[in-house]
Amino acid sequence: MTNILQRFVQKNPLTGDALKILTHYRHFKKMYKFLKESYTWSEEQIREYQTQQLRKLLHHAYKNVPYYAKLFDKLKLKPKDISSVEDLQKLPLLDKQTVRENLEEFKAKNFPKRKFEYITTGGSTGFPLGLYVERGVAEAIHMAFLQILLDQVDCHFTDRQVHIIGIEEACKYQVFGRILILSSFHMKDENMPTFIRKIRRLKPKFILGFPSAVTILARYMNKNKIEPFPSVKTVICSGETLYDWQRELLEETFKCRVHAVYSHNEVSVFATTCAYSNDYHVYPEYGIAELIRKDGKPVTKEGEMGEIVVTGFNNPLFPLIRYRTGDIGVLAHQKCKCGRNYLLLKRIEGRVQDFIVSKSGRYIPLTGFYGLVAKCSNNVRNCQLVQEVEGEVILNIVKDKGYTDEDENSIVRAFEKRFGGEVDLIIRYVDQIPLTSGGKFKFLIQKLPIDY
C-alpha cells in the first residue's frame, strides 16, 4: 500500500501561490460536495453511477489512450461491448510490469503536457512503479475523500495535525506551523521527548501516519507512563497494514478512535474504516474494486480472500483498468451500521508476498505473527521476520531494556502453540531493523516465490 498522503504533505498545495490554492480548492470542493450527496445512495444508485462512469472511462480510453486502443482491437472488442461492471471480466488483468513496459502508451493524448506529473509508488515489492497523475488534481480529490472520514470525528484537513511519515529530516513544520511532520526514520528513544513536547505544544486534532511508526511512539509513551494528548480526536493509519493488536494499543494509548485508510499512489482505490466498524469501506465513487481468486474468478463467499483489482475513475490522464494491486483482501457480506452500501473488506492482509509458507506449503497470512510477539513481551523494541526456507522463519529482534531469557522463552512457546510445528522459529538479535526508502516498516522479508 503506497501513501498518496505522504506525497501530498511533502508538496502541500496550501504552501503554494494563491492561484494554485484556488485551483486545488475548486477540485476539492466539487468532489467533497458530491461525496456528501452520494454518501446515502442505495445499492441501485451506486451500481448505476459505477456503470455510467465505467462506460465513460472505456470510451475515453479507447479513443485517447494508445494502449487500450490496441488492446480492444486485439480482443476484437468495442467499449460498447462492456456495458456493466460484470462485463469488465472480458478484459485481462493489468499488472505492474505491463505498465512499466508501456508507460508512454498509457498517457491520454487529449491532455496537455503541463497536466502530467510523473510520480513513483512506494516500491514495497522492491520495484517502484512510475506513472503519471494529473498535476494537483490527484491530491485535491484524495483530500476530499479523506475529509469524509475526518467528518466522522469532527475534524478538518486544515486543523492542526501531526504526520509521522518517511522524511529525511527528523521533523519540520508546514502550512504556517499547523502541520508537524515527524520522521519515521527518527522514531528512536533519544528523539521521543522532543517529539512529544512538540506534539503537546501544537495541540493537534489528529495524528496521521504509518502504523508501525505511530506504534513506536505509543509504546514509548506507555513504557514511560506519559499521558496522552487531550486535543487528539483520532489517529489515522495509512501506508501499511494496520494489525488488530496495533489498533488496540493505539486506542488504549491515545484514548480515541483509530481509523485505517487504504489507498494507492495509482489513484485507483480508496477505503476507510468507519465509526461503527473496523471493516474497510471501499468507496464506489473512487473506482471499481474487484476481489479476484487465484483462478481468476471473483470472490463471492464471506471470509474468502482474493487479490484486490481496481479500475480508477479519477485519473483519466493515465487510466488503469483492472489493475492488480498485489494486495489481498477478505470479503465481508454483512451491512455496516453506518448505513452505507459499500463493498466491505474484513481485512486487508497486505501484499501477495506477505504470507509465510508452512512445511506443508500452506500460506499463512501475517496477521497472526506480529501480534504474537507483542503479546508475549513488552521488551521487544522492534522485530522482523525473514523466510528463506519453507516451514522456517527467522525472527530478528531488537531488544529493549529489560529483555531477558524469559521473554525469548515466552515468544518460542507462543509460536509453538500457535503453529503446532508447521513453522520452525529461529531467533536472532540485531541492533536495528532498516526501514524502506519511503520510511515504512516491512515486517516480512519473504525470499520464497509466492504464487497466490
Side-chain angles (χ1 to χ4, degrees):
M1 294 179 284
T2 54
N3 189 11
I4 195 173
L5 290 170
Q6 180 167 355
R7 185 163 54 85
F8 178 82
V9 169
Q10 290 175 339
K11 51 183 286 303
N12 195 310
L14 294 175
T15 61
D17 56 55
L19 179 60
K20 183 179 286 187
I21 294 173
L22 286 173
T23 302
H24 285 244
Y25 186 72
R26 177 171 58 86
H27 288 291
F28 166 84
K29 187 175 181 180
K30 180 180 178 181
M31 179 57 74
Y32 178 66
K33 181 181 178 182
F34 168 64
L35 292 174
K36 294 289 283 185
E37 295 169 354
S38 63
Y39 192 88
T40 57
W41 275 359
S42 66
E43 290 183 22
E44 184 178 348
Q45 286 174 302
I46 289 173
R47 187 177 185 83
E48 182 179 340
Y49 173 79
Q50 286 203 318
T51 300
Q52 180 187 49
Q53 291 299 107
L54 177 61
R55 290 172 180 169
K56 179 180 175 182
L57 176 66
L58 293 175
H59 280 279
H60 159 72
Y62 183 67
K63 181 180 179 182
N64 298 299
V65 183
Y67 175 84
Y68 291 110
K70 293 175 183 177
L71 177 65
F72 272 80
D73 289 346
K74 180 180 178 181
L75 297 173
K76 297 182 179 179
L77 290 173
K78 297 293 183 183
K80 65 180 181 180
D81 296 325
I82 301 173
S83 58
S84 68
V85 173
E86 289 75 19
D87 286 343
L88 262 178
Q89 294 180 46
K90 295 179 181 179
L91 296 177
L93 300 180
L94 174 64
D95 58 32
K96 291 177 172 58
Q97 188 58 33
T98 300
V99 177
R100 285 191 189 95
E101 293 172 353
N102 300 275
L103 188 65
E104 294 300 310
E105 296 284 291
F106 278 93
K107 295 167 66 174
K109 297 183 295 183
N110 60 327
F111 281 81
K113 287 184 178 180
R114 60 183 172 80
K115 293 279 188 180
F116 287 81
E117 179 181 3
Y118 181 77
I119 65 168
T120 58
T121 64
S124 53
T125 58
F127 300 97
L129 173 68
L131 67 148
Y132 291 90
V133 296
E134 188 172 354
R135 189 178 303 278
V137 175
E139 292 95 335
I141 288 176
H142 184 87
M143 291 309 296
F145 280 85
L146 179 64
Q147 184 57 52
I148 293 297
L149 173 61
L150 290 173
D151 285 347
Q152 298 181 42
V153 287
D154 192 29
C155 292
H156 193 270
F157 78 91
T158 58
D159 289 333
R160 296 179 186 274
Q161 57 198 264
V162 172
H163 292 221
I164 307 179
I165 56 176
I167 61 170
E168 290 301 323
E169 53 204 296
C171 65
K172 67 179 180 179
Y173 290 91
Q174 281 195 344
V175 193
F176 313 113
R178 299 184 69 82
I179 298 179
L180 169 62
I181 308 174
L182 304 177
S183 170
S184 57
F185 293 113
H186 293 82
M187 300 302 290
K188 302 173 183 178
D189 282 4
E190 57 264 33
N191 296 325
M192 289 302 179
T194 300
F195 288 173
I196 291 170
R197 268 198 313 273
K198 288 180 180 292
I199 295 172
R200 210 172 290 283
R201 190 181 303 130
L202 182 68
K203 297 180 180 179
K205 288 189 73 173
F206 63 91
I207 296 173
L208 186 152
F210 301 152
S212 60
V214 185
T215 296
I216 293 172
L217 173 63
R219 295 188 74 169
Y220 178 88
M221 291 174 65
N222 285 339
K223 196 144 192 159
N224 293 277
K225 296 181 172 55
I226 295 172
E227 291 294 314
F229 311 107
S231 62
V232 172
K233 293 189 172 186
T234 189
V235 175
I236 300 173
C237 292
S238 181
E240 300 169 346
T241 299
L242 173 65
Y243 297 105
D244 289 341
W245 74 270
Q246 290 175 312
R247 176 183 277 109
E248 292 170 8
L249 171 66
L250 298 181
E251 289 187 344
E252 174 61 28
T253 302
F254 296 109
K255 309 300 181 188
C256 65
R257 178 83 167 113
V258 171
H259 283 287
V261 173
Y262 171 68
S263 63
H264 286 247
N265 270 351
E266 290 94 320
V267 197
S268 295
V269 63
F270 188 88
T272 71
T273 54
C274 80
Y276 301 92
S277 169
N278 292 332
D279 291 346
Y280 286 84
H281 298 52
V282 184
Y283 286 63
E285 304 93 340
Y286 210 90
I288 295 168
E290 306 171 75
L291 274 188
I292 302 298
R293 299 189 322 221
K294 185 178 178 180
D295 62 5
K297 302 295 183 181
V299 168
T300 58
K301 297 178 182 178
E302 170 88 13
E304 188 177 4
M305 291 193 303
E307 183 176 357
I308 301 171
V309 173
V310 294
T311 298
F313 294 153
N314 296 308
N315 194 28
L317 175 148
F318 194 92
L320 298 176
I321 300 171
R322 300 205 81 201
Y323 174 72
R324 298 182 63 178
T325 64
D327 295 324
I328 302 298
V330 180
L331 182 65
H333 273 319
Q334 77 277 13
K335 187 173 179 179
C336 183
K337 290 181 181 179
C338 70
R340 286 179 287 177
N341 294 294
Y342 290 4
L343 169 68
L344 294 180
L345 302 179
K346 284 180 179 290
R347 298 185 305 279
I348 296 174
E349 297 285 7
R351 306 202 69 83
V352 172
Q353 288 295 115
D354 288 346
F355 288 84
I356 295 293
V357 185
S358 73
K359 293 177 182 178
S360 64
R362 183 171 75 92
Y363 287 177
I364 305 174
L366 276 181
T367 308
F369 281 86
Y370 200 178
L372 200 59
V373 177
K375 288 177 181 178
C376 289
S377 172
N378 290 322
N379 299 312
V380 174
R381 180 173 298 182
N382 208 348
C383 61
Q384 184 180 62
L385 292 173
V386 180
Q387 184 167 40
E388 300 172 339
V389 179
E390 285 191 11
E392 179 183 282
V393 291
I394 299 166
L395 176 62
N396 290 325
I397 289 178
V398 180
K399 297 179 186 179
D400 207 343
K401 294 178 181 178
Y403 188 93
T404 66
D405 290 344
E406 183 50 38
D407 291 284
E408 178 178 308
N409 293 336
S410 178
I411 292 169
V412 171
R413 286 195 300 268
F415 268 79
E416 289 176 348
K417 182 178 179 181
R418 174 70 65 87
F419 300 107
E422 279 192 285
V423 179
D424 293 334
L425 180 68
I426 299 172
I427 294 180
R428 294 177 181 169
Y429 296 102
V430 297
D431 292 331
Q432 63 177 359
I433 294 173
L435 301 179
T436 69
S437 59
K440 297 182 183 182
F441 172 73
K442 192 165 179 58
F443 179 54
L444 171 65
I445 305 298
Q446 179 54 271
K447 297 187 178 182
L448 297 177
I450 302 293
D451 181 22
Y452 171 77

